[in-house]
Structure formats: structure tokens, C-alpha cells
């Protein structure tokens, strides 16, 4: 796989479509993926990141969660809790804050993997269990001939940053096919949402294929769009209790998010619902919403795998993209 840092050619435009670097960050030991909260866990759509340059070149890149945390949608960037320090906890935070900026992917030629670095490559992401802090703590316990006890600060699936001089954890970066072929928004009955209603999923039907777009403000804040894959000028937009296709820079097109349990919401307040006639509307999220899932069209996915050339890479893309 080519270094992901070379794939962000959409560098400084305010609207980014196609998400040129969209993938999982995962460790070899247990196959778990880094999430926006700084915890390693399941490799699913909630652990997909967009690796995006900041509008100000000096502020490096951001890791934006494709699907922001439902409870705190404004905190959708991987962040360092103490931005100025070399060592810090990892948390989900607003993309405009300094802790969410100055990230970089550093390719290690020997292993073919990456270090995730910050602050001009002074800080590196590390699995908590492998951090220098834990190593020093255990050395002290051995020296005192004591028994190691539970400490809620040190968890198996935790992540943090420490000085790169003390090392970092080499991680895989695996792109998915979402940015290559688009995706369906599929209902619980396997029907597909086309922007105004639900209809039968047909791999030959262009109108049901979507893509995620991101708009970045001057201070780094990110908002999401749902655009038509085959007509990128058209986006899903809310107007009152209705949804339609509109220009992507309209206010009703900004602020979509797909949360847990498949809740497609706008500005965190209004959720997509489906009438008994199968047309779509929006209403206040509690308690109503139509459960949706992102699904890859099998026909298009197989085409991507075929064109990938590298059989092992293509196999990895299929398995990760279809979780």
C-alpha cells in the first residue's frame, strides 16, 4: 500500500469529497482498531477515520471520525487531552481545538506500517500497555517486590501519546472501498434510501449510491455532507420535516451524522424517519428514527478488488469494508 500521506491531494479546499484517505488504524497483536475516543476496539464503520489536511498548512492534519460520537457529535476528531505536552491521554475532541491538530502519519519502510505522530513528530501514539509510563511503573513494582494491582488509568485497550524518543506503536493503516465505490444507506428490510424514499436495492441503480463529504472551516471545524456518488453537486438536505436533494452548500445539507443503532440525524436533533408509504421525512430524534446501515454494493466491491491487483490487499479491503 502506498503511504497514506501521499493520498491527501484534496489538501486545502474547503469542501472535500471522495475522502481520499479513509481507513482503519489497527494493531497486529489483536486486530483491534483505534477509535476517535482513543480506545482500541472493533473494526467497524465507527472506527473509520478521514485523514484530512487542516486549512492552515502549519497545523498539519486531523483524524476526523467518519461517524462522530452520537452523544457528543461536535467532538469528532482524535485529540490529545493536553495538546502542548509530549505525553497525553487520547480523547475525542472538537476539530477546531489545538489537541486535534498537528497529526501526521509517519511511514516506517522496514515494517511497512505507520507511527501516528503529533506536534511536529515529537509525540507518538502508543498502546497504553506498551507505554514507557507503564514500563516504569512495573519496574518500580518489581524493585519494591510488590504485586501489581488494578489501576483504572492503565487499560488493555487504552491509547495515549508519549515522547517519540520513548517509542511508539507501529500500526497498520488500511483503506476501505467506501471512497472508491460509494455505499448504500440500507433499511432494516434491506431496502435502499435514495434521498426522498426507500426502494429496492439494485446494483445498477446510480441514485441509491452515496458518499460522505466534509466541509472544513477556517478554524478546522468539520461538518459532514451526504452527497450523491454519481452527481456530487447534489446532497441530502433537510427543510422543515421533509428531505430532498439540494446544493451541497445549503444550510440544510450540512450537519448529517450516522450514529449508533443506525440513526441518521441532522444537527444532532432531527432524525430520518420512514412513513408507511416508504417516503422519507425528519422528526425530532426521540424516540423515532429509521435504522440505517452503510452497505457496500457487492457488484461494485468485487470490481474494486479485481482492479486492485494485489490479491492480499484486495482481500483485506473486502473483509474490512463489509463488517
Amino acid at each position: 500500500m502506498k503511504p497514506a500521506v501521499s493520498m491527501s491531494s484534496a489538501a486545502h479546499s474547503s469542501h472535500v469529497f471522495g475522502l481520499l484517505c479513509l481507513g482503519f488504524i489497527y494493531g497486529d497483536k489483536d486486530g483491534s482498531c483505534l477509535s476517535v475516543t482513543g480506545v482500541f476496539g472493533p473494526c467497524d464503520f465507527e472506527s473509520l477515520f478521514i485523514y484530512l489536511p487542516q486549512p492552515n498548512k502549519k497545523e498539519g492534519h486531523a483524524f476526523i471520525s467518519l461517524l462522530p460520537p452520537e452523544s457528543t457529535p461536535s467532538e469528532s476528531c482524535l485529540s490529545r487531552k493536553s495538546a502542548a505536552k509530549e505525553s497525553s491521554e487520547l480523547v475525542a475532541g472538537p476539530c477546531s481545538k489545538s489537541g486535534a491538530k498537528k497529526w501526521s502519519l509517519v511511514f516506517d519502510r522496514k515494517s511497512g506500517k505507520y507511527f501516528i505522530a503529533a506536534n511536529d513528530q515529537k509525540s507518538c501514539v502508543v498502546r497504553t500497555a506498551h507505554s514507557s509510563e507503564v514500563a516504569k511503573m512495573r519496574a518500580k513494582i518489581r524493585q519494591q517486590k510488590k504485586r501489581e494491582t488494578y489501576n483504572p488509568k492503565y487499560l488493555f485497550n487504552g491509547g495515549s501519546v508519549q515522547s517519540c524518543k520513548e517509542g511508539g506503536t507501529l500500526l497498520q493503516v488500511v483503506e476501505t472501498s467506501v471512497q472508491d465505490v460509494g455505499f448504500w444507506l440500507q433499511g432494516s428490510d434491506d431496502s435502499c434510501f435514495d434521498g426522498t424514499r426507500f426502494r429496492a436495492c439494485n446494483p445498477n441503480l446510480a441514485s441509491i449510491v452515496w458518499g460522505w463529504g466534509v466541509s472544513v472551516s477556517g478554524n478546522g471545524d468539520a461538518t459532514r455532507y451526504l452527497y450523491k456518488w454519481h452527481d456530487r453537486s447534489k446532497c441530502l438536505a433537510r427543510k422543515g420535516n421533509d428531505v430532498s436533494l439540494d446544493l451541497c452548500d445549503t444550510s440544510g445539507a450540512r450537519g448529517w451524522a450516522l450514529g449508533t443503532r443506525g440513526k441518521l440525524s441532522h444537527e444532532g436533533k432531527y432524525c430520518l424517519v420512514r412513513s408507511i408509504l416508504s417516503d422519507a421525512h425528519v422528526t425530532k430524534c426521540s424516540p423515532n428514527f429509521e435504522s440505517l446501515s452503510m452497505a457496500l454494493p457487492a457488484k461494485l466491491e468485487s470490481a474494486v478488488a479485481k482492479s486492485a491487483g494485489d490479491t492480499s490487499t484486495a482481500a483485506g479491503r473486502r473483509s474490512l469494508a463489509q463488517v
Side-chain angles (χ1 to χ4, degrees), residues 1 174-177 180 296 300-322:
M1 189 183 78
V174 178
E175 291 180 273
T176 76
S177 297
D180 293 326
L296 286 175
L300 296 178
E301 174 62 12
S302 62
V304 171
K306 184 178 180 180
S307 65
D310 185 338
T311 304
S312 60
T313 301
R317 291 161 68 103
R318 285 197 297 277
S319 61
L320 285 169
Q322 292 176 344

Side-chain angles (χ1 to χ4, degrees), residues 4-308:
V5 288
S6 69
M7 297 183 182
S8 299
S9 59
H12 305 293
S13 62
S14 59
H15 300 280
V16 179
F17 293 110
L19 308 181
L20 295 179
C21 185
L22 173 61
F24 297 102
I25 301 168
Y26 77 100
D28 289 337
K29 297 292 184 182
D30 55 9
S32 59
C33 286
L34 181 65
S35 72
V36 71
T37 58
V39 172
F40 285 82
C43 296
D44 54 23
F45 283 117
E46 292 184 26
S47 55
L48 274 173
F49 282 105
I50 305 159
Y51 182 58
L52 194 66
Q54 294 282 355
N56 183 342
K57 293 182 180 181
K58 295 180 180 179
E59 295 179 339
H61 290 69
F63 284 103
I64 305 172
S65 176
L66 176 65
L67 305 180
E70 186 177 347
S71 57
T72 53
S74 63
E75 298 179 351
S76 57
C77 274
L78 181 67
S79 304
R80 305 172 300 284
K81 191 172 183 179
S82 302
K85 296 181 179 179
E86 287 190 351
S87 297
S88 173
E89 295 177 53
L90 286 175
V91 295
C95 297
S96 59
K97 300 298 183 182
S98 56
K101 301 177 180 181
K102 290 194 171 183
W103 288 107
S104 61
L105 283 170
V106 182
F107 183 63
D108 179 66
R109 294 183 180 276
K110 185 177 180 180
S111 66
K113 301 172 187 176
Y114 294 85
F115 292 106
I116 301 177
N119 294 330
D120 301 316
Q121 299 182 16
K122 294 177 182 177
S123 301
C124 286
V125 169
V126 63
R127 290 286 292 258
T128 300
H130 308 145
S131 66
S132 61
E133 184 177 347
V134 168
K136 292 174 184 176
M137 178 268 293
R138 286 177 167 167
K140 184 176 181 180
I141 288 174
R142 286 195 299 269
Q143 187 179 30
Q144 296 174 345
K145 297 182 179 180
K146 293 182 179 180
R147 182 179 178 182
E148 187 175 341
T149 58
Y150 165 69
N151 187 331
K153 185 179 178 182
Y154 306 125
L155 300 177
F156 175 79
N157 63 348
S160 59
V161 294
Q162 65 181 18
S163 171
C164 289
K165 294 178 181 178
E166 297 176 307
T169 299
L170 281 167
L171 298 165
Q172 296 273 21
V173 177
V174 178
E175 291 180 273
T176 76
S177 297
V178 173
Q179 79 273 28
D180 293 326
V181 299
F183 57 88
W184 289 340
L185 286 173
Q186 207 162 25
S188 56
D189 63 345
D190 293 333
S191 61
C192 282
F193 177 52
D194 71 358
T196 57
R197 61 181 295 102
F198 288 81
R199 59 173 66 211
C201 297
N202 182 340
N204 298 314
L205 194 61
S207 64
I208 60 173
V209 184
W210 296 91
W212 282 107
V214 177
S215 176
V216 183
S217 67
N219 66 1
D221 272 331
T223 56
R224 292 161 184 78
Y225 295 76
L226 271 170
Y227 66 91
K228 281 302 181 80
W229 184 258
H230 298 284
D231 184 358
R232 302 188 181 196
S233 67
K234 299 292 179 63
C235 280
L236 180 66
R238 177 183 72 87
K239 188 174 182 180
N241 290 326
D242 294 320
V243 288
S244 62
L245 298 175
D246 205 340
L247 297 177
C248 295
D249 58 359
T250 60
S251 59
R254 301 188 185 105
W256 290 101
L258 186 63
T260 56
R261 298 172 61 202
K263 184 185 296 185
L264 182 62
S265 63
H266 185 252
E267 297 179 342
K269 300 176 183 178
Y270 304 96
C271 282
L272 190 80
V273 293
R274 177 180 178 181
S275 77
I276 57 175
L277 300 174
S278 284
D279 52 354
H281 302 273
V282 291
T283 187
K284 288 187 177 180
C285 287
S286 181
N288 302 305
F289 64 93
E290 175 72 13
S291 182
L292 299 174
S293 61
M294 289 170 58
L296 286 175
K299 180 180 177 180
L300 296 178
E301 174 62 12
S302 62
V304 171
K306 184 178 180 180
S307 65

